[in-house]
Amino acid sequence: MSDLFIIGASGTRAYRQAMAAISENIANASTDGYSRRSLTTVESGSSTATMATYISRANFGGTEVSGVVRAADPYLDATVRYTGMALSSSTARLRWMSDIEGALNDTDTGIGKLMTGMFQNIDKLAASPNDRSLRVTTLDSISRVAEAFQRTSADLAQVSAGIGTEAQASVETINRSLSQLANINNSLLRSQPGTSAYAQLLDSRDAALNTLSANLNVDISFGAHDQAQISFNGQSLVQGNAATTVALTVNANGTLALATSGGTALTAPANGTLGGLFSAASTTAQRRTSLDTLAQQFVTDMNAWHAQGRTDANAAGGALLSGTSAASVTALITDPAALATKSADGTLNGNLLTASTVLRGNGSVEQGWTSLIATQGNLLASVKAEQSTAQSRSDQAIAAREAVSGVDLDMEAAELLRLQQAYSGSAKILQIAKETVDAILQII
């Protein structure tokens, strides 16, 4: 008769714990990074006979909980991390490539359109070289192009600064994740596998790994007690409970450099948010260099063209512009009479007529600007396509993982009903055992 009490009691304990696991799943159905829990049970060892008439071959021991099982698939987890890494990189690149496109500003107030307007004003002045108002307009259009160079340079510098700020935030996130993983590794060593506490630590570990890999293309492996071991291009970042943090340097030209906190230089990240920011910083630096080159050419070409002409006083044309970079381009001439419209032979509009030949066409600043805009536009279109593909792959990977690790409320509700029935059955066993013992005692 003691078997019934043992079996009934073990059943109620096991099913109570199983219902607690189901309740935990339901409560955390919307919790990010939560993996569904379940219990495994095994047949309990037969209890020792306590009665002289006890028959051992008919002895049963009920059930017992052997451990908490966390629903997870290492392959699917790794796939989510890899696709999330690619998505974070392309998203960061897309955001800043779009900002670069905006900074270059190929609109009516941008360098290209203003330069076209400048040449149109020069052509108009060539038709009436003594018209003072047209001279003022032409000088103003030259000044506006110079200001556009300055404005574009400032906007690109702002993009570089923004990338540096976001990269620093990404590095801080990386260092937090590395420290968290080192602490979790230490806790995993002290925790018992198959317990709810151990499952919670694994959830925390995977969440930290997801955050880390979304920011940096680290190499991940697992050691004893599921400890995470992290390295980056051969440099160990997390080993056991020890973490090596990283530091970011923003160079003068806006490019980025990465090193350990101890000063060991690291290679540039190739993926993750930080990899995307490194790429964006490099692209921005290239655009700033190209802009400076065009600005220098603009100053040189305009001054050389103007020097070939003659002013109303038959003096050689002075420098129209000054500056050695886009940020320093400045218009120098404001007096309409100082504009060298005449050619050396005295033709009133002679120098103006050569502007299109000397300043436009192959190898000109105007052509260089068009090429720069086209290059950036093609790159932006490519990054948009890359980001769209990465988003699709990441969504598919997350859906595949959720099918294994996620919580389905309908399934949990059905399982809860089944466990309730099983719990009631175990309780009924205890009730029957009690009634049987009471009946026997009454007979005695």
Side-chain angles (χ1 to χ4, degrees):
M1 186 58 62
S2 62
D3 284 358
L4 292 180
F5 286 107
I6 293 172
I7 293 171
S10 68
T12 55
R13 283 195 301 269
Y15 289 120
R16 182 175 66 249
Q17 293 176 13
M19 285 190 290
I22 296 294
S23 300
E24 184 80 0
N25 291 339
I26 294 174
N28 289 281
S30 299
T31 301
D32 290 337
Y34 179 82
S35 294
R36 182 171 53 83
R37 312 281 201 268
S38 61
L39 297 183
T40 56
T41 58
V42 295
E43 184 179 8
S44 179
S46 298
S47 60
T48 303
T50 57
M51 298 174 63
T53 58
Y54 194 84
I55 303 176
S56 60
R57 64 176 177 271
N59 189 26
F60 300 99
T63 187
E64 62 183 19
V65 175
S66 62
V68 177
V69 177
R70 174 177 173 268
D73 185 317
Y75 171 76
L76 295 178
D77 290 341
T79 302
V80 168
R81 287 194 296 268
Y82 179 78
T83 56
M85 186 189 304
L87 176 60
S88 296
S89 176
S90 60
T91 299
R93 289 180 64 206
L94 177 59
R95 178 168 59 255
W96 292 109
M97 289 304 102
S98 298
D99 282 4
I100 293 173
E101 179 98 339
L104 291 175
N105 185 23
D106 193 36
T107 66
D108 290 341
T109 59
I111 293 173
K113 298 294 174 51
L114 290 176
M115 193 176 298
T116 299
M118 179 191 73
F119 289 126
Q120 290 173 347
N121 288 331
I122 290 175
D123 290 341
K124 292 177 182 178
L125 181 60
S128 183
N130 292 323
D131 189 323
R132 181 179 175 83
S133 64
L134 290 178
R135 289 190 177 208
V136 171
T137 301
T138 300
L139 288 174
D140 179 65
S141 63
I142 294 172
S143 177
R144 291 181 67 190
V145 173
E147 292 171 355
F149 270 108
Q150 296 175 17
R151 186 168 55 251
T152 302
S153 177
D155 289 345
L156 286 176
Q158 188 66 31
V159 171
S160 289
I163 293 173
T165 300
E166 185 174 347
Q168 188 60 55
S170 178
V171 166
E172 291 174 0
T173 299
I174 290 169
N175 287 335
R176 282 196 300 272
S177 297
L178 293 174
S179 298
Q180 289 172 3
L181 286 168
N183 292 333
I184 291 170
N185 283 347
N186 187 47
S187 298
L188 284 171
L189 279 177
R190 301 169 183 274
S191 183
Q192 178 66 36
T195 63
S196 58
Y198 196 83
Q200 290 175 2
L201 286 172
L202 292 180
D203 276 355
S204 298
R205 181 205 66 184
D206 285 354
L209 288 175
N210 288 339
T211 300
L212 177 61
S213 59
N215 283 274
L216 185 64
N217 54 302
V218 293
D219 297 315
I220 301 171
S221 60
F222 299 100
H225 279 253
D226 299 304
Q227 292 182 98
Q229 300 170 347
I230 311 297
S231 63
F232 175 70
N233 291 335
Q235 171 66 50
S236 176
L237 297 180
V238 174
Q239 186 67 41
N241 62 355
T244 300
T245 56
V246 296
L248 181 78
T249 300
V250 180
N251 299 317
N253 64 350
T255 57
L256 308 174
L258 191 66
T260 65
S261 54
T264 302
L266 299 173
T267 57
N271 215 338
T273 295
L274 197 58
L277 293 173
F278 265 67
S279 175
S282 178
T283 300
T284 306
Q286 292 172 13
R287 300 294 179 263
R288 293 174 70 183
T289 299
S290 297
L291 183 68
D292 286 341
T293 300
L294 290 175
Q296 292 170 8
Q297 182 182 352
F298 180 63
V299 171
T300 300
D301 290 354
M302 289 294 290
N303 288 343
W305 164 77
H306 195 247
Q308 294 174 358
R310 295 292 183 270
T311 66
D312 293 343
N314 287 321
L320 280 170
L321 301 158
S322 66
T324 57
S325 66
S328 61
V329 175
T330 306
L332 299 177
I333 295 179
T334 58
D335 182 7
L339 191 60
T341 60
K342 298 191 297 184
S343 59
D345 62 5
T347 304
L348 292 179
N349 62 353
N351 196 39
L352 297 173
L353 294 175
T354 65
S356 293
T357 303
V358 175
L359 300 175
R360 310 185 81 175
N362 292 334
S364 66
V365 176
E366 190 176 33
Q367 186 184 62
W369 175 260
T370 301
S371 177
L372 178 61
I373 293 299
T375 299
Q376 179 61 29
N378 290 336
L379 178 58
L380 179 58
S382 175
V383 173
K384 284 181 178 179
E386 178 185 336
Q387 196 274 341
S388 178
T389 300
Q391 182 70 65
S392 177
R393 293 185 61 195
S394 179
D395 290 344
Q396 292 173 2
I398 291 174
R401 184 189 64 179
E402 287 300 307
V404 173
S405 302
V407 176
D408 185 323
L409 291 176
D410 292 336
M411 292 182 61
E412 299 298 327
E415 182 67 6
L416 186 59
L417 289 175
R418 186 188 71 81
L419 292 174
Q420 286 176 332
Q421 293 175 346
Y423 181 87
S424 298
S426 296
K428 188 67 174 178
I429 292 174
L430 290 174
Q431 181 182 354
I432 291 174
K434 177 180 180 300
E435 291 174 353
T436 302
V437 170
D438 288 344
I440 292 173
L441 291 176
Q442 288 176 3
I443 292 174
I444 295 175

